[in-house]
Amino acid sequence: KERMLQHKHLLVRASVDNPPTDRRYMKKWIRKLISKIKMKMLGQPIIKYVETAGNRGLTAVACIETSHIAFHSWDETSPGLVQLDVYTCSELDEQTVFDWMAPFAPKEIKWKYYDRENNLQLVKEA
């Protein structure tokens, strides 16, 4: 059965008490997120730790079928900061993504969910 492609884009900015610092953990976290949102991974995620003062934290990207996930965290500040970009070719339950962020101990999550198929129409936000 052929599915109708949609272009949904979730942008998340979260203040967190437990920003990730372990590259191996992050690789597993992204792989499991891809599974939870029912997307197909196209190759392994790339995860790097940035050592530059004032910009320390993890940066990660993963290609998923016709889409991507980008993750950035900063661990020098208190609270830490996580920014997550999930672009999918199908509907996305944003609550699944927020729930999956629980290990980072979010204090506040701000987000916007766009329909990129229809002139970047804002679908939802918080």
Side-chain angles (χ1 to χ4, degrees):
K1 179 181 171 183
E2 195 171 315
R3 66 180 170 164
M4 178 74 147
L5 290 182
Q6 300 176 43
H7 297 277
K8 305 296 185 185
H9 202 150
L10 177 64
L11 301 174
V12 179
R13 178 184 172 94
S15 299
V16 300
D17 281 335
N18 188 31
T21 57
D22 182 90
R23 291 174 47 219
R24 287 185 191 159
Y25 173 81
M26 197 66 224
K27 188 172 192 175
K28 291 177 187 175
W29 186 89
I30 286 182
R31 290 174 58 112
K32 289 180 182 178
L33 174 61
I34 292 167
S35 175
K36 288 193 169 292
I37 62 173
K38 299 176 177 59
M39 293 302 296
K40 180 181 177 184
M41 189 167 48
L42 301 176
Q44 293 299 313
I46 298 169
I47 294 94
K48 300 292 182 184
Y49 188 86
V50 176
E51 297 281 353
T52 306
N55 200 32
R56 284 191 181 93
L58 284 177
T59 292
V61 292
C63 293
I64 55 181
E65 195 171 58
T66 70
S67 310
H68 70 264
I69 294 175
F71 178 97
H72 308 282
S73 67
W74 290 266
D75 56 41
E76 290 179 289
T77 60
S78 183
L81 176 63
V82 164
Q83 297 206 51
L84 177 64
D85 177 357
V86 181
Y87 181 14
T88 69
C89 59
S90 63
E91 284 292 332
L92 174 66
D93 176 14
E94 66 276 1
Q95 191 59 51
T96 300
V97 175
F98 305 148
D99 291 347
W100 197 243
M101 292 177 68
F104 311 138
K107 298 172 68 68
E108 179 181 36
I109 296 177
K110 294 182 179 182
W111 56 276
K112 292 189 179 192
Y113 189 33
Y114 292 97
D115 181 346
R116 290 179 59 156
E117 184 75 18
N118 294 296
N119 205 26
L120 290 176
Q121 178 181 349
L122 182 63
V123 177
K124 300 178 192 175
E125 70 179 309

